[in-house]
Amino acid sequence: TEEDVDGFEPSFRDYRTAGAYSPYDLDAIVELNQTSSDGRALGYLRASRNDHKWYGMLSTFTTEFSKKFNFLGGLDLRYYKGIHFSEVTDLLGAEYVLDNNDINNPNRAIGVGDKRDYYNDGIVLWEGAFMQGEYSDGPLSAFVSLSGSNTSYQRIDYFQYVPGEQETDFQNFLGYQVKGGANYNLTRNHNVFANIGYFEKAPDFDAVFQNFGNNINEDAENQKILSYELGYGYRSSKFSANVNLYRTAWKDRTFTRSYSNQNGDLLYANILGVNAIHQGIEFDASYQPTQSLRFAGMLSLGDWTWQNNVDGVTVFDEAQNPLTTIPTLYISGLKVGDAAQTTASLSMDYDIVEDFAVGFVYNYYANLYANYDPLSRTTESVQGVDAYEVPAYNLVDVKANYSFKIGDLDATVYGNVQNLFDVEYISDAQDGDPATSLAVYYGVGRTWTSGIKVKF
């Protein structure tokens, strides 16, 4: 009675109303479950969960070596635990469902709230130290900072392994960061600034533990990022603005593939040289013509692309036996997916009276390309063919709040309306053939929230 990934047995897929991505007829599933002689669910609902716990400690030390030079240093310690599992949320009229994914408790009967499919923890430890020197003399201010860290990953799988084999050893990755910047006030109103930084970042957790298991990729590589920006600022009593140019080179983005040798051993290939360039111009401004009226706006124009094709290579095992050939990746100049590269916003806040304020926010999103795997672009015919581009869209939110007293306590009643004009828009997409396999995700329509805040 093995269920497929969405909680329904394949033989009951005909209870969808129409099409591969159409809704299920849940009433029909309830009726079907009621025909089960032993109370077992033939169809049910489940949810994937990603719970997490964060703990951290930050210590800082500051001293002033002179009137012009300050020093800041400290430690940064963090602990993260991600708890990943799937659970039954609704039996749709049945009494239980069978799950055979826990090797320590096979073919068990489970109910609402019980874990199913998978159950594992991801542990991330971070131990870091940092120092920064700041210099200021008249119109010039500058800083240099240096930090180092050790990132440790551990995976614990309760379903796929027996006790004693469920925990991996911690996998450690050393990284560092160097940054510097300066600002020069040309006049009382005008300034220019520049920043540059380089850092090495630990590979993604999933690049270290492969195939949703405790299989360790011991040669996972750090990602390398070089970023710099140049900007100009203006300040006055009512108006302020900044404009900056930025460019970030992201080298050795984390991509891996797994293969089996002739003995069935699982081996991993770290695919290096997949580099991206993120560059663009950003502008932000604020204007306050009166004490009660405020405007703010921003515009970001980005050009984020994969930098180069990656030549195909043959993957060998430890005995130099060829396993497979990774084909050439034709990704040079393709747009990076899964984030809007053009964004803009305009907001207004107005105090109608001293304790009553209203406002709105207008947001615009464009040049959002569907998410895709660059390692899938392996035929020369896709050279220069970008992923599906989501239609541009704009949203308007409005808000209002009223402040008052409850005895000696400060209180506020507030109300917000998101997507005021109920715009229908696509917020994200997974690339594919628009006629057969493109998956799009529609954004939320008009919603509203209201509440009261009381400060103690």
Side-chain angles (χ1 to χ4, degrees), residues 12 24 32 57 71 84 87 97 104 125 172 187 206 210 215 227 233 247 259 332 348 362 383 408 421:
F12 297 109
Y24 284 98
L32 184 66
M57 181 180 72
F71 175 82
H84 317 114
E87 68 174 353
V97 67
N104 300 296
L125 307 180
N172 300 300
T187 68
D206 289 341
Q210 298 279 289
N215 308 304
S227 182
R247 179 180 172 89
Y259 306 95
S332 177
M348 182 204 73
Y362 166 84
Q383 179 79 51
D408 294 329
F421 299 111

Side-chain angles (χ1 to χ4, degrees), residues 353-372:
V353 294
E354 182 178 356
D355 297 319
F356 181 56
V358 297
F360 79 88
V361 179
Y362 166 84
N363 289 300
Y364 173 78
Y365 305 90
N367 301 122
L368 168 57
Y369 295 87
N371 187 35
Y372 66 98

Side-chain angles (χ1 to χ4, degrees), residues 271 308-314 325-332 374-383:
I271 302 173
N308 54 285
N309 292 336
V310 180
D311 294 335
V313 296
T314 299
T325 297
I326 299 175
T328 296
L329 305 181
Y330 296 96
I331 58 176
S332 177
L375 271 58
S376 67
R377 300 302 204 256
T378 57
T379 58
E380 195 168 3
S381 61
V382 303
Q383 179 79 51

Side-chain angles (χ1 to χ4, degrees), residues 195-373:
N195 296 287
I196 186 170
Y198 176 83
F199 67 96
E200 293 201 359
K201 175 185 177 184
D204 297 337
F205 189 93
D206 289 341
V208 178
F209 300 106
Q210 298 279 289
N211 299 327
F212 305 103
N214 288 353
N215 308 304
I216 298 174
N217 175 13
E218 296 181 351
D219 297 319
E221 286 279 341
N222 279 354
Q223 303 176 76
K224 306 165 185 69
I225 301 171
L226 172 65
S227 182
Y228 46 90
E229 68 171 345
L230 178 66
Y232 161 80
Y234 175 81
R235 300 288 183 275
S236 69
S237 60
K238 294 185 177 181
F239 180 77
S240 63
N242 295 292
V243 60
N244 72 289
L245 302 170
Y246 69 90
R247 179 180 172 89
T248 298
W250 193 339
K251 296 186 177 181
D252 292 334
R253 290 283 299 269
T254 299
F255 290 101
T256 62
R257 284 294 183 265
S258 60
Y259 306 95
S260 296
N261 62 12
Q262 296 176 349
N263 298 323
D265 299 322
L266 196 59
L267 305 176
Y268 306 101
N270 298 298
I271 302 173
L272 304 180
V274 182
N275 307 326
I277 295 293
H278 292 223
Q279 60 187 357
I281 182 171
E282 298 176 329
F283 172 81
D284 66 85
S286 62
Y287 177 57
Q288 186 169 354
T290 68
Q291 187 67 28
S292 58
L293 181 61
R294 299 170 295 280
F295 294 94
M298 62 79 63
L299 173 66
S300 177
L301 303 174
D303 179 19
W304 308 344
T305 61
W306 297 106
Q307 184 178 9
N308 54 285
N309 292 336
V310 180
D311 294 335
V313 296
T314 299
V315 178
F316 298 87
D317 63 16
E318 294 179 350
Q320 299 304 303
N321 298 311
L323 294 176
T324 188
T325 297
I326 299 175
T328 296
L329 305 181
Y330 296 96
I331 58 176
S332 177
L334 294 185
K335 297 291 187 179
V336 175
D338 210 27
Q341 300 190 24
T342 298
T343 58
S345 73
L346 177 65
S347 66
M348 182 204 73
D349 291 281
Y350 180 61
D351 300 329
I352 297 178
V353 294
E354 182 178 356
D355 297 319
F356 181 56
V358 297
F360 79 88
V361 179
Y362 166 84
N363 289 300
Y364 173 78
Y365 305 90
N367 301 122
L368 168 57
Y369 295 87
N371 187 35
Y372 66 98
D373 183 358

Side-chain angles (χ1 to χ4, degrees), residues 52-69:
H52 53 85
K53 299 178 181 179
W54 284 91
Y55 303 96
M57 181 180 72
L58 180 66
S59 69
T60 58
F61 169 78
T62 59
T63 187
E64 186 177 283
F65 289 127
S66 68
K67 293 183 178 180
K68 297 181 180 180
F69 186 74

Side-chain angles (χ1 to χ4, degrees), residues 360-363 394-398 417-425 444-447:
F360 79 88
V361 179
Y362 166 84
N363 289 300
N394 53 76
L395 304 174
V396 175
D397 303 334
V398 295
V417 180
Q418 291 81 29
N419 192 2
L420 175 66
F421 299 111
D422 200 24
V423 174
E424 184 177 276
Y425 65 98
V444 178
R446 183 190 300 115
T447 60

